[in-house]
């Protein structure tokens, strides 16, 4: 069965500083990988996704993520954080075979300090 | 704009009193999903419809039912809500059920059980 681990429950970053959110997955093959963001009281919005090809993927709002097969990781990065980035971030894995339901990690809450 | 709409955004019910949550979509997607998200936890898939085909997750309690009368609408019925069912309920849609089909989420319905 597939699983996702987000080791950091909370992260605080100063506005303008760089950000990296960690995500590790467990899957028998190369999975489909996603990052979603959830603002308070809102649904999930897709930031970016990885299916194949270039392991560095660009997303919306200036985010990028890098797939590293050897580390089973798909970390999310942003070079300069804005106060509006404060939200909860979820990494998710989807299967390549059959119905591709998503398995989410428990999320990382990003706090941005002035 | 094409979107996923959930009504109501906030629902309060009494212990044991049946409740129905609504989801509609203007994306004309084939697949509709219901997730349960408890506080500080990952969204957990309850079930999904591919057109009229219903797919229940193995660990979804019998207390949770769903209906999809047409392509645009999907309902979540909780027959006898318990205190443990208080959560955010997220509806999502995707064009197909392949791993490359992105899921689009609604804003969620926050359910309170008194």
């Amino acid at each position: 069965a597939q699983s996702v681990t987000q080791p950091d429950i909370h992260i605080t970053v100063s506005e303008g500083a760089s950000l990296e959110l960690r995500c590790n997955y467990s899957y028998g093959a190369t999975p489909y990988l996603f990052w979603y963001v959830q603002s308070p009281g809102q649904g999930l919005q897709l930031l970016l996704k990885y299916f194949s090809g270039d392991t560095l993927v660009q997303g919306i709002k200036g985010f990028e993520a890098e797939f590293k097969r050897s580390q089973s990781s798909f970390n999310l990065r942003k070079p300069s954080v804005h106060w509006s980035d404060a939200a909860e971030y979820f990494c998710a894995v989807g299967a390549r075979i059959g119905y591709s339901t998503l398995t989410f990690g428990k999320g990382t809450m990003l706090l941005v300090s002035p | 704009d094409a979107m996923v709409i959930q009504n109501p955004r906030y629902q309060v019910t009494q212990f044991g009193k049946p409740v129905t949550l609504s989801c509609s979509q203007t994306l004309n997607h084939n697949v509709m999903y219901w997730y349960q998200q408890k506080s500080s936890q990952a969204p957990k898939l309850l079930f999904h419809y591919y057109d009229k085909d219903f797919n229940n997750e193995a660990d979804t309690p019998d207390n949770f039912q769903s209906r999809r009368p047409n392509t645009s609408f999907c309902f979540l019925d909780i027959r006898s809500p318990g205190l443990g069912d208080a959560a955010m309920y997220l509806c999502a849609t995707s064009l197909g059920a392949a791993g490359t089909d992105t899921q689009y989420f609604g804003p969620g319905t926050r359910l309170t059980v008194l």
Side-chain angles (χ1 to χ4, degrees):
Chain A
Q2 61 212 43
S3 66
V4 178
T5 301
Q6 292 180 249
D8 303 306
I9 298 174
H10 297 100
I11 281 186
T12 300
V13 175
S14 298
E15 190 167 16
S18 63
L19 168 71
E20 182 168 24
L21 302 181
R22 296 184 290 165
C23 172
N24 293 96
Y25 68 88
S26 174
Y27 185 66
T30 302
Y32 296 129
L33 295 162
F34 306 81
W35 274 100
Y36 283 85
V37 60
Q38 186 178 33
S39 297
Q42 300 297 314
L44 281 72
Q45 181 183 20
L46 181 69
L47 285 175
L48 47 78
K49 56 193 176 185
Y50 172 76
F51 294 155
S52 65
D54 192 345
T55 56
L56 184 64
V57 294
Q58 303 296 322
I60 62 171
K61 304 185 180 187
F63 285 92
E64 65 178 28
E66 186 171 12
F67 169 62
K68 292 186 176 180
R69 184 193 309 272
S70 61
Q71 298 177 18
S72 297
S73 70
F74 188 57
N75 294 348
L76 182 71
R77 300 194 294 248
K78 187 170 184 178
S80 178
V81 168
H82 188 262
W83 64 267
S84 60
D85 294 323
E88 189 151 25
Y89 292 80
F90 291 92
C91 182
V93 60
R96 287 182 175 261
I97 300 172
Y99 276 125
S100 185
T101 55
L102 293 177
T103 300
F104 286 88
K106 291 188 175 182
T108 297
M109 179 65 73
L110 173 65
L111 305 173
V112 180
S113 61
Chain B
D1 284 344
M3 55 198 305
V4 181
I5 302 160
Q6 291 188 245
N7 287 305
R9 294 292 309 276
Y10 300 90
Q11 176 74 58
V12 180
T13 190
Q14 293 179 335
F15 183 94
K17 184 175 182 180
V19 66
T20 295
L21 309 182
S22 170
C23 177
S24 64
Q25 53 128 344
T26 61
L27 297 160
N28 204 31
H29 281 175
N30 296 305
V31 190
M32 296 186 77
Y33 309 79
W34 279 105
Y35 289 85
Q36 179 192 62
Q37 185 183 22
K38 295 187 176 180
S39 182
S40 302
Q41 295 188 22
K44 178 180 178 299
L45 182 65
L46 295 173
F47 26 58
H48 72 278
Y49 273 95
Y50 193 117
D51 289 334
K52 291 190 178 295
D53 291 333
F54 179 69
N55 298 273
N56 197 32
E57 293 300 296
D59 56 355
T60 298
D62 292 340
N63 198 27
F64 292 85
Q65 305 285 320
S66 186
R67 297 170 284 135
R68 190 178 184 185
N70 53 54
T71 300
S72 300
F73 283 87
C74 194
F75 300 99
L76 170 62
D77 300 308
I78 308 176
R79 294 192 296 186
S80 182
L83 298 178
D85 297 327
M88 174 79 89
Y89 289 88
L90 297 168
C91 175
T93 74
S94 62
L95 180 61
T100 50
D101 288 303
T102 299
Q103 292 188 25
Y104 295 88
F105 284 80
T109 294
R110 170 120 4 234
L111 177 67
T112 300
V113 181
L114 301 178

